[in-house]
Amino acid sequence: KSTVAKTIQSLNIPLIDCDLLARLVVEPTHPCYHKLVKHFGTTILQNQQLGQPLDRYKFGTIIFSDAAQRRVANGIIHPAVRDEILKRLLKFWVRGTSLVIIDVPLLLEGELWRIVSDVIVVYCPPEVQLERIKTRDGLSEEDALARINAQRPLIEKVDYADHVIYNTSDLESLKTATLKVMDAIKPNPFWTLMAYFPPFTILLAGWVVAKRHLKGDPRKTLDSKKKKDDSATAEPAASSSNAPAHAS
């Protein structure tokens, strides 16, 4: 993902890094920090003292081992990150920027896929993802798996994608694939110009959100279809098992 991000930035396309924003909103000067301390206590802070930075390892151990606590943390952090994203998008709009990429690991979990025009997923096999996380963060396999399992599986994220970049080969192939996607989503100059008329801006933003809403949640659609298929498969079996019982 970092290679894709660097390739995008080499094209002078602005990139909003949500990993950095997630760090920003838990700094002692941010309101989000105090909300976290109010719920989790000072045990999540370095030296367990108010005003000290977040102890990321301790905080990660808590939320990645307890789904309920993770939901609470996400309910505090995700809205704060969304607000920071929107602030930056507004600044880019004022500057006349035609395309902005949001680099967000929790695109689905934070429901941010509903407000963007295109979703790009960088995919690699689970075993490769595991090894990369262990190497990057210096984690044990157990801790790395806990972090992976706290997110949607990458294969599920592909269902939401408008574009998929497969990170299964060498870096040059990854860069080439990234450049192709960037070329495919390059904004039309006419629509970029129109986006600077406020009434049209509102209509355009509304269309993006409405389009996502009408398309629906791909996983819910697939889950619903699977349930129907399972039900259809189970019904004949139930009938055949009831027939002998009825006969007897």
Side-chain angles (χ1 to χ4, degrees):
K1 190 165 63 69
S2 59
T3 301
V4 171
K6 288 176 183 176
T7 303
I8 291 169
Q9 289 173 311
S10 72
L11 300 173
N12 294 320
I13 298 172
L15 185 140
I16 299 173
D17 188 336
C18 289
D19 278 338
L20 295 180
L21 295 186
R23 290 177 177 272
L24 171 69
V25 301
V26 297
E27 289 182 357
T29 54
H30 199 283
C32 182
Y33 170 92
H34 297 284
K35 291 180 182 179
L36 290 171
V37 173
K38 183 178 180 180
H39 176 79
F40 292 97
T42 56
T43 186
I44 63 171
L45 305 178
Q46 293 180 19
N47 301 321
Q48 298 188 18
Q49 293 181 358
L50 190 63
Q52 289 292 308
L54 199 68
D55 186 323
R56 296 184 180 281
Y57 179 77
K58 191 177 292 183
F59 183 56
T61 301
I62 292 171
I63 65 173
F64 288 119
S65 61
D66 187 327
Q69 295 284 49
R70 185 164 64 250
R71 283 194 292 272
V72 172
N74 287 344
I76 296 171
I77 295 172
H78 286 175
V81 171
R82 279 198 297 269
D83 288 346
E84 294 295 334
I85 291 172
L86 292 173
K87 287 178 189 176
R88 283 155 179 75
L89 287 176
L90 181 59
K91 287 179 181 178
F92 283 123
W93 180 76
V94 170
R95 293 174 190 169
T97 307
S98 61
L99 175 65
V100 179
I101 301 295
I102 306 173
D103 180 2
V104 48
L106 300 178
L107 181 77
L108 308 185
E109 291 82 354
E111 295 289 312
L112 288 170
W113 63 276
R114 295 183 182 277
I115 63 169
V116 295
S117 59
D118 291 84
V119 174
I120 304 166
V121 171
V122 183
Y123 176 82
C124 70
E127 62 274 11
V128 176
Q129 182 186 19
L130 175 62
E131 288 304 317
R132 285 176 178 166
I133 290 177
K134 286 166 59 179
T135 302
R136 183 192 67 196
D137 298 338
L139 299 173
S140 66
E141 184 156 330
E142 182 181 359
D143 287 341
L145 281 171
R147 281 157 174 71
I148 290 173
N149 293 334
Q151 302 180 24
R152 296 277 190 93
L154 272 177
I155 194 65
E156 286 190 13
K157 294 183 180 183
V158 171
D159 294 326
Y160 292 79
D162 299 291
H163 310 274
V164 180
I165 298 174
Y166 291 97
N167 184 16
T168 54
S169 185
D170 56 77
L171 289 179
E172 284 306 313
S173 298
L174 181 61
K175 290 176 182 177
T176 300
T178 302
L179 293 173
K180 285 182 179 179
V181 170
M182 290 302 102
D183 190 58
I185 66 172
K186 186 165 53 180
N188 182 301
F190 172 76
W191 294 115
T192 299
L193 179 63
M194 290 296 292
Y196 287 92
F197 293 93
F200 189 79
T201 304
I202 295 170
L203 287 173
L204 191 60
W207 165 243
V208 169
V209 175
K211 182 175 68 171
R212 291 287 177 198
H213 178 74
L214 291 171
K215 186 177 180 181
D217 188 320
R219 288 309 304 180
K220 288 181 180 178
T221 303
L222 287 172
D223 290 343
S224 176
K225 184 177 183 301
K226 185 176 183 299
K227 285 179 182 178
K228 287 181 180 179
D229 290 344
D230 290 345
S231 177
T233 304
E235 281 176 6
S239 299
S240 62
S241 62
N242 288 337
H246 179 70
S248 62

